[in-house]
Amino acid sequence: MWKQFIGKLSWKSMKSSSGGGGGAGSPPAKPPPPPLPSPRENGAAGKPSGSPTSPAASAGAEVRSREDAFVQKVNICCAVYDFSDRGRDSLEKERKRQMLMSLVDCIGAAEEPLTETMIAACVRMFAANLFRVFPPKVRSGTTASETEEDEPFFDPCWYHLQVVYEFLLRFVTSPLVDAKVARKYVDNSFVSKLLDLFDSDDPRERDCLKTILHRIYGKFMGNRPFIRKAVSNIFYRFVFETDHHNGIAELLEVFGSVISGFAKPLKEEHKLFLWKALIPLHKPKSVGVYLPQLTYCITQFIEKEPKLSGTVIRGLLKYWPVTNSQKEMMFLGELEEVLELTDMAEFQKCMLPLFQRIASCLNSSHFQVAERALFLWNNEHLFDMISQNRQVILPIVYPALERNTRWHWNQSVLNVTMNVRKMFHDMDERLLLACQNNFEEEEEKRAATEERRRLMWEQLERSAARGYHQPVIAADVSFPPPPSSARLVAPTVT
């Protein structure tokens, strides 16, 4: 492959050198004999002057020619064209694409390591082709669903960018690229600009970036702290400022594999990343777009350190939706996955606020939310923990179950509620009867309070009606008349 590069560059010099000759008036004569070697050139012993070139010098010349040919091609690929007009500069675009493809094949079949000059030229070419400012996003006035992405946008220059990304991936994964040398050029500035590309509207570009970022994180270990910090800043900006970013799902997918490689016990930095960066991602309306990747990252943390399950549950309760039923169903699904990894000690720390929230979901007028909350009792691990803590949990959820059996409008919710009530009956009948008696007492108190409130409002309405038809003015409430000597003076305008 390198010989092809060298051959393309050297044939012109050979052609130009073959046309040289003598002066115009020189007579035809035989070429003069070669001069005799001087003693200084051959030494005292008169050694012949035609000594062969040393192997080191020839190897250095070959490396320089290989390097020059490679850098020349890379520099040609630094030219940037406008792809919005397909007919413009079509020949130059195709020529550049062919050169990029040849560079991709070259770096894949190379047997000698790339020099520092070649690495610098490659990084410069990546920056020239990839780093760009995206046009401003024009959003429609309609509100999209929380679980659906916007209509995908396909970049017209992807036909060209795809080869550049393929070259970058080969460059990062190649064993012939020395990480210590490349670290000088694949620095924090390069990585920061690469992370900015995750906001691209083209899903194909984000998919390529996802693979490349994962490879960079694995190869350039010195960049790992900066990558974690930069991604955290992207999450902060998305949650608390912009509320819009196209690449959150891809970044979370990369960090899912990164978190699985964290060593035990977890560092404090990693725990802060969970609490300050991952858990607040439940706040935006578009959480459904990246919820599977987010749930995977969170469960990876819990598998590494089970004590973090209580922190995650409290975070979910903090950002629990109040008026968004679709988002509430997604939270219930994630909550079940977290509870499957929760041990008894952490469960007991947060079961009071947890089941207060679940009881509220049981009485939801949205039948899918109520049904999804009732399905939590089908989880064997959760049912076992509930049965061991039934003295605390049943008094919290029994009023919600009883209200469903009496007043819920959906027959499916009513049937599942009866099944859950039967589970508690089989679990502890005496406790269930005690909760039932307590519920009846509370209902009687509530009915009496409602009756007193109704009678009070009726009395107020009757009093208001009498006061309207027969006005009564108290003497102490009447206002004194103004003095007769006082004159109304219009305010002067200065």
Side-chain angles (χ1 to χ4, degrees), residues 445-473:
K445 293 179 182 178
R446 187 183 64 82
T449 304
E450 289 290 335
E451 183 65 19
R452 287 196 300 270
R453 185 182 293 114
R454 186 184 64 82
L455 294 175
M456 186 181 298
W457 276 107
E458 288 181 356
Q459 184 179 359
L460 288 173
E461 289 174 357
R462 287 194 298 268
S463 300
R466 285 197 304 268
Y468 177 74
H469 294 292
Q470 300 176 2
V472 178
I473 302 176

PDB file of all heavy atoms in Angstrom, residues 445-473:
ATOM      1  N   LYS A 445     -65.676   9.148  60.255  1.00  0.00           N
ATOM      2  CA  LYS A 445     -65.210  10.484  60.634  1.00  0.00           C
ATOM      3  C   LYS A 445     -65.213  11.426  59.435  1.00  0.00           C
ATOM      4  O   LYS A 445     -65.614  12.594  59.535  1.00  0.00           O
ATOM      5  CB  LYS A 445     -63.815  10.407  61.226  1.00  0.00           C
ATOM      6  CG  LYS A 445     -63.749   9.681  62.565  1.00  0.00           C
ATOM      7  CD  LYS A 445     -62.301   9.638  63.065  1.00  0.00           C
ATOM      8  CE  LYS A 445     -62.207   8.885  64.383  1.00  0.00           C
ATOM      9  NZ  LYS A 445     -60.807   8.787  64.873  1.00  0.00           N
ATOM     10  N   ARG A 446     -64.771  10.897  58.298  1.00  0.00           N
ATOM     11  CA  ARG A 446     -64.741  11.738  57.105  1.00  0.00           C
ATOM     12  C   ARG A 446     -66.150  12.120  56.682  1.00  0.00           C
ATOM     13  O   ARG A 446     -66.408  13.277  56.285  1.00  0.00           O
ATOM     14  CB  ARG A 446     -64.032  10.997  55.972  1.00  0.00           C
ATOM     15  CG  ARG A 446     -63.788  11.833  54.721  1.00  0.00           C
ATOM     16  CD  ARG A 446     -63.148  10.993  53.632  1.00  0.00           C
ATOM     17  NE  ARG A 446     -64.042   9.928  53.200  1.00  0.00           N
ATOM     18  CZ  ARG A 446     -65.044  10.088  52.313  1.00  0.00           C
ATOM     19  NH1 ARG A 446     -65.278  11.273  51.781  1.00  0.00           N
ATOM     20  NH2 ARG A 446     -65.793   9.065  51.979  1.00  0.00           N
ATOM     21  N   ALA A 447     -67.117  11.156  56.772  1.00  0.00           N
ATOM     22  CA  ALA A 447     -68.503  11.461  56.415  1.00  0.00           C
ATOM     23  C   ALA A 447     -69.097  12.501  57.354  1.00  0.00           C
ATOM     24  O   ALA A 447     -69.834  13.401  56.928  1.00  0.00           O
ATOM     25  CB  ALA A 447     -69.326  10.184  56.426  1.00  0.00           C
ATOM     26  N   ALA A 448     -68.795  12.367  58.666  1.00  0.00           N
ATOM     27  CA  ALA A 448     -69.301  13.359  59.614  1.00  0.00           C
ATOM     28  C   ALA A 448     -68.709  14.739  59.336  1.00  0.00           C
ATOM     29  O   ALA A 448     -69.408  15.763  59.409  1.00  0.00           O
ATOM     30  CB  ALA A 448     -68.973  12.921  61.047  1.00  0.00           C
ATOM     31  N   THR A 449     -67.436  14.782  59.009  1.00  0.00           N
ATOM     32  CA  THR A 449     -66.803  16.059  58.677  1.00  0.00           C
ATOM     33  C   THR A 449     -67.421  16.663  57.429  1.00  0.00           C
ATOM     34  O   THR A 449     -67.675  17.882  57.361  1.00  0.00           O
ATOM     35  CB  THR A 449     -65.297  15.860  58.491  1.00  0.00           C
ATOM     36  OG1 THR A 449     -64.741  15.266  59.671  1.00  0.00           O
ATOM     37  CG2 THR A 449     -64.596  17.176  58.229  1.00  0.00           C
ATOM     38  N   GLU A 450     -67.686  15.845  56.434  1.00  0.00           N
ATOM     39  CA  GLU A 450     -68.314  16.334  55.207  1.00  0.00           C
ATOM     40  C   GLU A 450     -69.723  16.858  55.481  1.00  0.00           C
ATOM     41  O   GLU A 450     -70.142  17.875  54.919  1.00  0.00           O
ATOM     42  CB  GLU A 450     -68.367  15.198  54.170  1.00  0.00           C
ATOM     43  CG  GLU A 450     -67.018  14.823  53.586  1.00  0.00           C
ATOM     44  CD  GLU A 450     -66.473  15.911  52.680  1.00  0.00           C
ATOM     45  OE1 GLU A 450     -67.267  16.694  52.125  1.00  0.00           O
ATOM     46  OE2 GLU A 450     -65.239  15.990  52.559  1.00  0.00           O
ATOM     47  N   GLU A 451     -70.458  16.161  56.387  1.00  0.00           N
ATOM     48  CA  GLU A 451     -71.805  16.615  56.717  1.00  0.00           C
ATOM     49  C   GLU A 451     -71.780  17.950  57.437  1.00  0.00           C
ATOM     50  O   GLU A 451     -72.592  18.845  57.154  1.00  0.00           O
ATOM     51  CB  GLU A 451     -72.504  15.556  57.575  1.00  0.00           C
ATOM     52  CG  GLU A 451     -73.946  15.877  57.937  1.00  0.00           C
ATOM     53  CD  GLU A 451     -74.851  15.925  56.724  1.00  0.00           C
ATOM     54  OE1 GLU A 451     -74.478  15.365  55.662  1.00  0.00           O
ATOM     55  OE2 GLU A 451     -75.936  16.535  56.818  1.00  0.00           O
ATOM     56  N   ARG A 452     -70.847  18.115  58.386  1.00  0.00           N
ATOM     57  CA  ARG A 452     -70.729  19.402  59.071  1.00  0.00           C
ATOM     58  C   ARG A 452     -70.358  20.515  58.092  1.00  0.00           C
ATOM     59  O   ARG A 452     -70.886  21.630  58.173  1.00  0.00           O
ATOM     60  CB  ARG A 452     -69.674  19.311  60.187  1.00  0.00           C
ATOM     61  CG  ARG A 452     -70.117  18.520  61.398  1.00  0.00           C
ATOM     62  CD  ARG A 452     -69.199  18.813  62.590  1.00  0.00           C
ATOM     63  NE  ARG A 452     -67.819  18.465  62.305  1.00  0.00           N
ATOM     64  CZ  ARG A 452     -67.300  17.267  62.546  1.00  0.00           C
ATOM     65  NH1 ARG A 452     -68.063  16.284  63.044  1.00  0.00           N
ATOM     66  NH2 ARG A 452     -66.033  17.024  62.287  1.00  0.00           N
ATOM     67  N   ARG A 453     -69.474  20.207  57.174  1.00  0.00           N
ATOM     68  CA  ARG A 453     -69.089  21.212  56.190  1.00  0.00           C
ATOM     69  C   ARG A 453     -70.281  21.588  55.300  1.00  0.00           C
ATOM     70  O   ARG A 453     -70.487  22.761  54.970  1.00  0.00           O
ATOM     71  CB  ARG A 453     -67.923  20.688  55.351  1.00  0.00           C
ATOM     72  CG  ARG A 453     -67.372  21.726  54.368  1.00  0.00           C
ATOM     73  CD  ARG A 453     -66.246  21.159  53.530  1.00  0.00           C
ATOM     74  NE  ARG A 453     -65.069  20.859  54.332  1.00  0.00           N
ATOM     75  CZ  ARG A 453     -64.585  19.629  54.558  1.00  0.00           C
ATOM     76  NH1 ARG A 453     -65.212  18.587  54.026  1.00  0.00           N
ATOM     77  NH2 ARG A 453     -63.534  19.452  55.292  1.00  0.00           N
ATOM     78  N   ARG A 454     -71.082  20.578  54.935  1.00  0.00           N
ATOM     79  CA  ARG A 454     -72.246  20.862  54.089  1.00  0.00           C
ATOM     80  C   ARG A 454     -73.267  21.724  54.816  1.00  0.00           C
ATOM     81  O   ARG A 454     -73.811  22.688  54.253  1.00  0.00           O
ATOM     82  CB  ARG A 454     -72.893  19.544  53.655  1.00  0.00           C
ATOM     83  CG  ARG A 454     -74.026  19.699  52.656  1.00  0.00           C
ATOM     84  CD  ARG A 454     -74.664  18.350  52.358  1.00  0.00           C
ATOM     85  NE  ARG A 454     -75.285  17.795  53.544  1.00  0.00           N
ATOM     86  CZ  ARG A 454     -76.513  18.133  53.979  1.00  0.00           C
ATOM     87  NH1 ARG A 454     -77.224  19.043  53.314  1.00  0.00           N
ATOM     88  NH2 ARG A 454     -77.023  17.576  55.056  1.00  0.00           N
ATOM     89  N   LEU A 455     -73.541  21.403  56.088  1.00  0.00           N
ATOM     90  CA  LEU A 455     -74.483  22.197  56.871  1.00  0.00           C
ATOM     91  C   LEU A 455     -73.980  23.621  57.072  1.00  0.00           C
ATOM     92  O   LEU A 455     -74.753  24.589  57.037  1.00  0.00           O
ATOM     93  CB  LEU A 455     -74.722  21.519  58.224  1.00  0.00           C
ATOM     94  CG  LEU A 455     -75.432  20.162  58.175  1.00  0.00           C
ATOM     95  CD1 LEU A 455     -75.501  19.537  59.567  1.00  0.00           C
ATOM     96  CD2 LEU A 455     -76.824  20.294  57.571  1.00  0.00           C
ATOM     97  N   MET A 456     -72.664  23.753  57.274  1.00  0.00           N
ATOM     98  CA  MET A 456     -72.104  25.091  57.456  1.00  0.00           C
ATOM     99  C   MET A 456     -72.266  25.931  56.199  1.00  0.00           C
ATOM    100  O   MET A 456     -72.622  27.124  56.265  1.00  0.00           O
ATOM    101  CB  MET A 456     -70.635  24.975  57.844  1.00  0.00           C
ATOM    102  CG  MET A 456     -69.972  26.298  58.205  1.00  0.00           C
ATOM    103  SD  MET A 456     -68.231  26.075  58.620  1.00  0.00           S
ATOM    104  CE  MET A 456     -68.380  25.008  60.057  1.00  0.00           C
ATOM    105  N   TRP A 457     -72.041  25.330  55.047  1.00  0.00           N
ATOM    106  CA  TRP A 457     -72.195  26.078  53.799  1.00  0.00           C
ATOM    107  C   TRP A 457     -73.665  26.436  53.545  1.00  0.00           C
ATOM    108  O   TRP A 457     -73.976  27.522  53.040  1.00  0.00           O
ATOM    109  CB  TRP A 457     -71.653  25.271  52.627  1.00  0.00           C
ATOM    110  CG  TRP A 457     -70.165  25.413  52.441  1.00  0.00           C
ATOM    111  CD1 TRP A 457     -69.209  24.505  52.720  1.00  0.00           C
ATOM    112  CD2 TRP A 457     -69.492  26.564  51.942  1.00  0.00           C
ATOM    113  NE1 TRP A 457     -67.969  24.993  52.439  1.00  0.00           N
ATOM    114  CE2 TRP A 457     -68.104  26.279  51.941  1.00  0.00           C
ATOM    115  CE3 TRP A 457     -69.914  27.817  51.496  1.00  0.00           C
ATOM    116  CZ2 TRP A 457     -67.146  27.180  51.528  1.00  0.00           C
ATOM    117  CZ3 TRP A 457     -68.971  28.729  51.069  1.00  0.00           C
ATOM    118  CH2 TRP A 457     -67.585  28.415  51.090  1.00  0.00           C
ATOM    119  N   GLU A 458     -74.581  25.539  53.897  1.00  0.00           N
ATOM    120  CA  GLU A 458     -75.998  25.859  53.752  1.00  0.00           C
ATOM    121  C   GLU A 458     -76.394  27.040  54.636  1.00  0.00           C
ATOM    122  O   GLU A 458     -77.153  27.931  54.224  1.00  0.00           O
ATOM    123  CB  GLU A 458     -76.844  24.627  54.089  1.00  0.00           C
ATOM    124  CG  GLU A 458     -76.772  23.532  53.043  1.00  0.00           C
ATOM    125  CD  GLU A 458     -77.641  22.345  53.418  1.00  0.00           C
ATOM    126  OE1 GLU A 458     -78.223  22.369  54.534  1.00  0.00           O
ATOM    127  OE2 GLU A 458     -77.725  21.396  52.616  1.00  0.00           O
ATOM    128  N   GLN A 459     -75.883  27.055  55.881  1.00  0.00           N
ATOM    129  CA  GLN A 459     -76.182  28.163  56.771  1.00  0.00           C
ATOM    130  C   GLN A 459     -75.620  29.472  56.234  1.00  0.00           C
ATOM    131  O   GLN A 459     -76.280  30.523  56.292  1.00  0.00           O
ATOM    132  CB  GLN A 459     -75.612  27.858  58.157  1.00  0.00           C
ATOM    133  CG  GLN A 459     -75.944  28.914  59.198  1.00  0.00           C
ATOM    134  CD  GLN A 459     -75.379  28.558  60.563  1.00  0.00           C
ATOM    135  OE1 GLN A 459     -74.757  27.503  60.720  1.00  0.00           O
ATOM    136  NE2 GLN A 459     -75.601  29.430  61.546  1.00  0.00           N
ATOM    137  N   LEU A 460     -74.394  29.401  55.686  1.00  0.00           N
ATOM    138  CA  LEU A 460     -73.802  30.598  55.110  1.00  0.00           C
ATOM    139  C   LEU A 460     -74.598  31.094  53.907  1.00  0.00           C
ATOM    140  O   LEU A 460     -74.797  32.300  53.707  1.00  0.00           O
ATOM    141  CB  LEU A 460     -72.349  30.328  54.706  1.00  0.00           C
ATOM    142  CG  LEU A 460     -71.336  30.191  55.844  1.00  0.00           C
ATOM    143  CD1 LEU A 460     -69.981  29.742  55.289  1.00  0.00           C
ATOM    144  CD2 LEU A 460     -71.169  31.513  56.579  1.00  0.00           C
ATOM    145  N   GLU A 461     -75.078  30.162  53.091  1.00  0.00           N
ATOM    146  CA  GLU A 461     -75.872  30.555  51.929  1.00  0.00           C
ATOM    147  C   GLU A 461     -77.198  31.196  52.354  1.00  0.00           C
ATOM    148  O   GLU A 461     -77.641  32.191  51.761  1.00  0.00           O
ATOM    149  CB  GLU A 461     -76.121  29.340  51.037  1.00  0.00           C
ATOM    150  CG  GLU A 461     -74.883  28.861  50.305  1.00  0.00           C
ATOM    151  CD  GLU A 461     -75.130  27.573  49.545  1.00  0.00           C
ATOM    152  OE1 GLU A 461     -76.270  27.038  49.644  1.00  0.00           O
ATOM    153  OE2 GLU A 461     -74.201  27.094  48.879  1.00  0.00           O
ATOM    154  N   ARG A 462     -77.853  30.646  53.407  1.00  0.00           N
ATOM    155  CA  ARG A 462     -79.100  31.240  53.881  1.00  0.00           C
ATOM    156  C   ARG A 462     -78.872  32.640  54.458  1.00  0.00           C
ATOM    157  O   ARG A 462     -79.631  33.567  54.220  1.00  0.00           O
ATOM    158  CB  ARG A 462     -79.744  30.328  54.926  1.00  0.00           C
ATOM    159  CG  ARG A 462     -80.359  29.059  54.345  1.00  0.00           C
ATOM    160  CD  ARG A 462     -81.270  28.393  55.361  1.00  0.00           C
ATOM    161  NE  ARG A 462     -80.522  27.973  56.555  1.00  0.00           N
ATOM    162  CZ  ARG A 462     -79.973  26.767  56.721  1.00  0.00           C
ATOM    163  NH1 ARG A 462     -80.074  25.860  55.726  1.00  0.00           N
ATOM    164  NH2 ARG A 462     -79.334  26.468  57.816  1.00  0.00           N
ATOM    165  N   SER A 463     -77.755  32.764  55.207  1.00  0.00           N
ATOM    166  CA  SER A 463     -77.438  34.071  55.784  1.00  0.00           C
ATOM    167  C   SER A 463     -77.137  35.088  54.687  1.00  0.00           C
ATOM    168  O   SER A 463     -77.563  36.254  54.758  1.00  0.00           O
ATOM    169  CB  SER A 463     -76.240  33.958  56.738  1.00  0.00           C
ATOM    170  OG  SER A 463     -76.519  33.070  57.790  1.00  0.00           O
ATOM    171  N   ALA A 464     -76.419  34.645  53.674  1.00  0.00           N
ATOM    172  CA  ALA A 464     -76.104  35.557  52.571  1.00  0.00           C
ATOM    173  C   ALA A 464     -77.365  35.956  51.823  1.00  0.00           C
ATOM    174  O   ALA A 464     -77.517  37.108  51.384  1.00  0.00           O
ATOM    175  CB  ALA A 464     -75.109  34.899  51.619  1.00  0.00           C
ATOM    176  N   ALA A 465     -78.317  34.997  51.673  1.00  0.00           N
ATOM    177  CA  ALA A 465     -79.572  35.323  50.978  1.00  0.00           C
ATOM    178  C   ALA A 465     -80.396  36.324  51.776  1.00  0.00           C
ATOM    179  O   ALA A 465     -80.966  37.277  51.233  1.00  0.00           O
ATOM    180  CB  ALA A 465     -80.375  34.055  50.720  1.00  0.00           C
ATOM    181  N   ARG A 466     -80.495  36.167  53.094  1.00  0.00           N
ATOM    182  CA  ARG A 466     -81.237  37.125  53.917  1.00  0.00           C
ATOM    183  C   ARG A 466     -80.565  38.495  53.903  1.00  0.00           C
ATOM    184  O   ARG A 466     -81.219  39.523  53.813  1.00  0.00           O
ATOM    185  CB  ARG A 466     -81.336  36.608  55.351  1.00  0.00           C
ATOM    186  CG  ARG A 466     -82.336  35.481  55.545  1.00  0.00           C
ATOM    187  CD  ARG A 466     -82.656  35.329  57.017  1.00  0.00           C
ATOM    188  NE  ARG A 466     -81.455  35.109  57.824  1.00  0.00           N
ATOM    189  CZ  ARG A 466     -80.960  33.918  58.133  1.00  0.00           C
ATOM    190  NH1 ARG A 466     -81.582  32.834  57.680  1.00  0.00           N
ATOM    191  NH2 ARG A 466     -79.878  33.807  58.873  1.00  0.00           N
ATOM    192  N   GLY A 467     -79.274  38.514  53.971  1.00  0.00           N
ATOM    193  CA  GLY A 467     -78.567  39.793  53.971  1.00  0.00           C
ATOM    194  C   GLY A 467     -78.692  40.530  52.656  1.00  0.00           C
ATOM    195  O   GLY A 467     -78.683  41.759  52.611  1.00  0.00           O
ATOM    196  N   TYR A 468     -78.894  39.827  51.556  1.00  0.00           N
ATOM    197  CA  TYR A 468     -79.016  40.473  50.243  1.00  0.00           C
ATOM    198  C   TYR A 468     -80.388  41.124  50.075  1.00  0.00           C
ATOM    199  O   TYR A 468     -80.506  42.241  49.581  1.00  0.00           O
ATOM    200  CB  TYR A 468     -78.773  39.451  49.144  1.00  0.00           C
ATOM    201  CG  TYR A 468     -78.939  39.999  47.747  1.00  0.00           C
ATOM    202  CD1 TYR A 468     -77.965  40.836  47.193  1.00  0.00           C
ATOM    203  CD2 TYR A 468     -80.078  39.729  46.997  1.00  0.00           C
ATOM    204  CE1 TYR A 468     -78.122  41.368  45.927  1.00  0.00           C
ATOM    205  CE2 TYR A 468     -80.237  40.253  45.727  1.00  0.00           C
ATOM    206  CZ  TYR A 468     -79.261  41.067  45.192  1.00  0.00           C
ATOM    207  OH  TYR A 468     -79.425  41.604  43.936  1.00  0.00           O
ATOM    208  N   HIS A 469     -81.486  40.424  50.527  1.00  0.00           N
ATOM    209  CA  HIS A 469     -82.839  40.952  50.353  1.00  0.00           C
ATOM    210  C   HIS A 469     -83.199  41.961  51.444  1.00  0.00           C
ATOM    211  O   HIS A 469     -84.015  42.838  51.224  1.00  0.00           O
ATOM    212  CB  HIS A 469     -83.866  39.814  50.347  1.00  0.00           C
ATOM    213  CG  HIS A 469     -83.712  38.911  49.153  1.00  0.00           C
ATOM    214  ND1 HIS A 469     -83.992  39.334  47.885  1.00  0.00           N
ATOM    215  CD2 HIS A 469     -83.290  37.630  49.056  1.00  0.00           C
ATOM    216  CE1 HIS A 469     -83.766  38.346  47.016  1.00  0.00           C
ATOM    217  NE2 HIS A 469     -83.338  37.289  47.720  1.00  0.00           N
ATOM    218  N   GLN A 470     -82.677  41.869  52.625  1.00  0.00           N
ATOM    219  CA  GLN A 470     -82.975  42.785  53.726  1.00  0.00           C
ATOM    220  C   GLN A 470     -81.667  43.368  54.232  1.00  0.00           C
ATOM    221  O   GLN A 470     -81.084  42.883  55.213  1.00  0.00           O
ATOM    222  CB  GLN A 470     -83.705  42.055  54.861  1.00  0.00           C
ATOM    223  CG  GLN A 470     -85.039  41.439  54.420  1.00  0.00           C
ATOM    224  CD  GLN A 470     -85.670  40.650  55.548  1.00  0.00           C
ATOM    225  OE1 GLN A 470     -85.139  40.597  56.658  1.00  0.00           O
ATOM    226  NE2 GLN A 470     -86.820  40.054  55.264  1.00  0.00           N
ATOM    227  N   PRO A 471     -81.166  44.385  53.567  1.00  0.00           N
ATOM    228  CA  PRO A 471     -79.871  44.929  53.969  1.00  0.00           C
ATOM    229  C   PRO A 471     -79.959  45.588  55.332  1.00  0.00           C
ATOM    230  O   PRO A 471     -80.904  46.315  55.635  1.00  0.00           O
ATOM    231  CB  PRO A 471     -79.555  45.945  52.875  1.00  0.00           C
ATOM    232  CG  PRO A 471     -80.879  46.303  52.302  1.00  0.00           C
ATOM    233  CD  PRO A 471     -81.740  45.080  52.414  1.00  0.00           C
ATOM    234  N   VAL A 472     -78.991  45.316  56.182  1.00  0.00           N
ATOM    235  CA  VAL A 472     -78.910  45.890  57.517  1.00  0.00           C
ATOM    236  C   VAL A 472     -77.580  46.594  57.628  1.00  0.00           C
ATOM    237  O   VAL A 472     -76.525  45.979  57.427  1.00  0.00           O
ATOM    238  CB  VAL A 472     -79.051  44.811  58.618  1.00  0.00           C
ATOM    239  CG1 VAL A 472     -78.908  45.447  59.997  1.00  0.00           C
ATOM    240  CG2 VAL A 472     -80.387  44.110  58.494  1.00  0.00           C
ATOM    241  N   ILE A 473     -77.628  47.901  57.983  1.00  0.00           N
ATOM    242  CA  ILE A 473     -76.409  48.690  58.096  1.00  0.00           C
ATOM    243  C   ILE A 473     -76.237  49.074  59.546  1.00  0.00           C
ATOM    244  O   ILE A 473     -77.106  49.733  60.136  1.00  0.00           O
ATOM    245  CB  ILE A 473     -76.447  49.940  57.207  1.00  0.00           C
ATOM    246  CG1 ILE A 473     -76.663  49.544  55.747  1.00  0.00           C
ATOM    247  CG2 ILE A 473     -75.182  50.776  57.366  1.00  0.00           C
ATOM    248  CD1 ILE A 473     -76.814  50.723  54.820  1.00  0.00           C
TER     249      ILE A 473
END
